[in-house]
């Protein structure tokens, strides 16, 4: 049976907003290099689009962190599935996420990465659900969209590994 998906943010809206956020990052990091940490799997679409629009030297690494499994709600248990390949010592780091809701995953991840002695850590997300935030100390530096508490797919976000390839952000009508 096919799931019904309602468009929340069109492909054009998403692309425009990524360009606007990239402009702000370009200003904030002028004269510096930036090390992007893409949070797999969902963050890869956003990370690639963002990186294409950045004008400073960019290096890139990947982490896979899980707290969902095949459900629509976070389990609350955070696991590092794939760790970084490079040292963060002395680097200006930006964690790039597809979506932040409870903040549990990012709270845990930021603490782990701080121990690796980066010069700075900032957080950039495509989507933010601030009303779901449990970990209030998670500060998002760059947000493309704040969205309501609905289960979204597309642009890297999935439902049981489906719909990542949609070029827009949609809501699965369960």
């Amino acid at each position: 049976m096919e799931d019904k998906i309602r468009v929340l943010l069109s492909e054009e809206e998403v692309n425009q907003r990524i360009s606007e956020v990239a402009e702000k990052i370009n200003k904030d990091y002028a004269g510096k290099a930036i090390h992007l940490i893409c949070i797999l799997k969902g963050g890869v679409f956003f990370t690639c689009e963002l990186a294409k629009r950045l004008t400073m030297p960019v290096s890139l690494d990947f982490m896979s962190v899980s707290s969902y499994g095949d459900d629509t709600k976070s389990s609350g248990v955070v696991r590092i599935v794939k760790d970084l390949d490079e040292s963060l010592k002395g680097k200006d780091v930006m964690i790039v996420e597809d979506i932040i809701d409870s903040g549990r995953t990012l709270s845990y991840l930021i603490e782990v990465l701080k121990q690796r002695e980066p010069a700075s850590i900032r957080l950039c997300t495509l989507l933010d659900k601030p009303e779901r935030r449990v970990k209030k100390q998670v500060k998002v530096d760059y947000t493309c969209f704040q969205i309501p508490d609905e289960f979204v797919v597309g642009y890297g976000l999935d439902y049981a590994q489906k719909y990542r390839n949609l070029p827009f952000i949609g809501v699965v009508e369960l």
Side-chain angles (χ1 to χ4, degrees):
M1 182 175 150
E2 282 289 311
D3 297 304
K4 184 170 169 25
I5 299 173
R6 172 176 46 89
V7 175
L8 180 65
L9 298 164
S10 71
E11 182 176 7
E12 294 76 21
E13 290 174 292
V14 173
N15 284 328
Q16 176 62 37
R17 186 63 184 137
I18 292 172
S19 292
E20 292 166 4
V21 168
E23 284 179 38
K24 175 130 178 57
I25 293 169
N26 286 332
K27 287 179 187 157
D28 292 350
Y29 283 84
K32 294 183 174 182
I34 190 170
H35 186 69
L36 301 180
I37 297 176
C38 172
I39 305 302
L40 297 172
K41 296 177 184 171
V44 74
F45 289 78
F46 175 45
T47 302
C48 290
E49 290 302 318
L50 180 67
K52 288 192 300 190
R53 293 165 170 87
L54 297 178
T55 56
M56 75 289 294
V58 173
S59 55
L60 182 62
D61 207 343
F62 299 88
M63 283 189 95
S64 181
V65 184
S66 175
S67 66
Y68 279 86
D70 284 341
D71 202 355
T72 61
K73 297 263 192 285
S74 174
S75 67
V77 177
V78 180
R79 296 183 309 120
I80 294 179
V81 180
K82 185 231 176 280
D83 207 341
L84 299 172
D85 294 327
E86 297 180 31
S87 168
L88 298 183
K89 191 172 180 111
K91 293 180 181 177
D92 288 307
V93 169
M94 183 171 299
I95 300 168
V96 184
E97 261 286 25
D98 53 359
I99 189 166
I100 301 171
D101 51 27
S102 72
R104 284 186 188 103
T105 301
L106 269 299
S107 175
Y108 172 80
L109 187 59
I110 289 167
E111 290 309 309
V112 167
L113 296 180
K114 278 181 181 176
Q115 296 171 16
R116 300 179 188 189
E117 302 177 34
S120 66
I121 296 180
R122 287 194 175 172
L123 180 55
C124 180
T125 190
L126 178 60
L127 304 173
D128 190 9
K129 290 185 185 178
E131 67 187 61
R132 296 220 350 117
R133 195 82 78 247
V134 173
K135 297 290 189 175
K136 305 290 186 196
Q137 73 273 24
V138 172
K139 178 182 172 285
V140 184
D141 301 284
Y142 304 96
T143 301
C144 290
F145 299 97
Q146 285 191 357
I147 62 168
D149 187 14
E150 298 183 280
F151 193 80
V152 290
V153 295
Y155 224 91
L157 295 137
D158 73 297
Y159 173 61
Q161 298 298 329
K162 297 187 296 187
Y163 308 120
R164 288 188 195 278
N165 61 316
L166 296 176
F168 59 88
I169 305 296
V171 176
V172 177
E173 305 283 334
L174 297 173

